[in-house]
Amino acid sequence: SDDHRKAKEIGSLLSDLSYIKKVEPIETNIVIFEIDENYYSSEVFTTMLLQKDIHIISMGQGKLRMVTHLDYTATMHDRLLSILPKL
């Protein structure tokens, strides 16, 4: 349930960001969203996050995926939530 809560928090934040085109409904610990490629390509976005040691999965065509899990700590979560609005 903690992983699901964190995923919903990530989805909520992503929904408010101008460079995010769409966030799929979140039912579990998986967050699938589309980046607005008028802002960043998926490759640029994932590289920017990777440079901050944040690993996400590109699904192609602007779709990206984040997964929360047992090893995803509260510290990591807070850090992610603070970084995303600054990109």
Side-chain angles (χ1 to χ4, degrees):
S1 64
D2 195 40
D3 295 334
H4 295 192
R5 178 190 54 79
K6 288 175 184 172
K8 286 182 189 260
E9 289 175 0
I10 294 167
S12 178
L13 175 65
L14 288 170
S15 294
D16 292 337
L17 298 175
S18 60
Y19 59 85
I20 300 300
K21 188 175 185 178
K22 178 182 178 185
V23 178
E24 298 291 331
I26 298 168
E27 298 175 13
T28 62
N29 64 325
I30 299 170
V31 182
I32 297 174
F33 61 100
E34 290 181 49
I35 190 132
D36 183 342
E37 294 199 336
N38 291 317
Y39 286 87
Y40 305 115
S41 68
S42 296
E43 294 80 20
V44 168
F45 183 71
T46 56
T47 299
M48 289 175 7
L49 290 178
L50 191 57
Q51 290 170 344
K52 297 181 182 307
D53 200 27
I54 298 170
H55 303 260
I56 68 171
I57 298 166
S58 175
M59 299 172 64
Q61 298 179 336
K63 273 194 169 181
L64 300 161
R65 179 175 174 247
M66 292 184 185
V67 179
T68 60
H69 52 79
L70 184 61
D71 296 325
Y72 177 69
T73 66
T75 301
M76 293 171 166
H77 184 64
D78 292 342
R79 185 169 172 267
L80 174 67
L81 295 180
S82 72
I83 288 172
L84 288 173
K86 297 175 186 172
L87 297 177

